[in-house]
PDB file of all heavy atoms in Angstrom:
ATOM      1  N   LYS A   3     166.810 235.272  29.530  1.00 48.00           N
ATOM      2  CA  LYS A   3     167.585 236.510  29.583  1.00 48.00           C
ATOM      3  C   LYS A   3     168.474 236.547  30.825  1.00 48.00           C
ATOM      4  O   LYS A   3     169.601 237.043  30.785  1.00 48.00           O
ATOM      5  CB  LYS A   3     166.648 237.718  29.567  1.00 48.00           C
ATOM      6  CG  LYS A   3     165.971 237.950  28.231  1.00 48.00           C
ATOM      7  CD  LYS A   3     165.108 239.197  28.275  1.00 48.00           C
ATOM      8  CE  LYS A   3     164.458 239.437  26.919  1.00 48.00           C
ATOM      9  NZ  LYS A   3     163.590 240.641  26.941  1.00 48.00           N
ATOM     10  N   HIS A 141     194.054 231.520  44.149  1.00 73.00           N
ATOM     11  CA  HIS A 141     193.138 230.387  44.152  1.00 73.00           C
ATOM     12  C   HIS A 141     191.974 230.581  45.108  1.00 73.00           C
ATOM     13  O   HIS A 141     190.887 230.045  44.872  1.00 73.00           O
ATOM     14  CB  HIS A 141     193.897 229.096  44.486  1.00 73.00           C
ATOM     15  CG  HIS A 141     194.804 228.650  43.390  1.00 73.00           C
ATOM     16  ND1 HIS A 141     195.810 227.724  43.582  1.00 73.00           N
ATOM     17  CD2 HIS A 141     194.876 229.005  42.072  1.00 73.00           C
ATOM     18  CE1 HIS A 141     196.451 227.535  42.439  1.00 73.00           C
ATOM     19  NE2 HIS A 141     195.905 228.298  41.514  1.00 73.00           N
ATOM     20  N   GLY A 155     173.653 231.549  40.267  1.00 51.00           N
ATOM     21  CA  GLY A 155     172.792 230.690  39.479  1.00 51.00           C
ATOM     22  C   GLY A 155     171.575 230.243  40.252  1.00 51.00           C
ATOM     23  O   GLY A 155     170.442 230.315  39.773  1.00 51.00           O
ATOM     24  N   ASN A 188     190.737 222.064  46.399  1.00 67.00           N
ATOM     25  CA  ASN A 188     191.178 222.748  45.198  1.00 67.00           C
ATOM     26  C   ASN A 188     190.931 221.834  43.999  1.00 67.00           C
ATOM     27  O   ASN A 188     190.840 220.619  44.128  1.00 67.00           O
ATOM     28  CB  ASN A 188     192.675 223.049  45.281  1.00 67.00           C
ATOM     29  CG  ASN A 188     193.001 224.099  46.316  1.00 67.00           C
ATOM     30  OD1 ASN A 188     192.782 225.285  46.107  1.00 67.00           O
ATOM     31  ND2 ASN A 188     193.532 223.661  47.457  1.00 67.00           N
ATOM     32  N   ALA A 196     199.952 224.913  41.911  1.00 92.00           N
ATOM     33  CA  ALA A 196     200.622 225.135  43.193  1.00 92.00           C
ATOM     34  C   ALA A 196     201.835 224.234  43.362  1.00 92.00           C
ATOM     35  O   ALA A 196     202.840 224.638  43.952  1.00 92.00           O
ATOM     36  CB  ALA A 196     199.639 224.918  44.348  1.00 92.00           C
TER      37      ALA A 196
END
Side-chain angles (χ1 to χ4, degrees):
K3 289 182 179 179
H141 289 164
N188 291 284

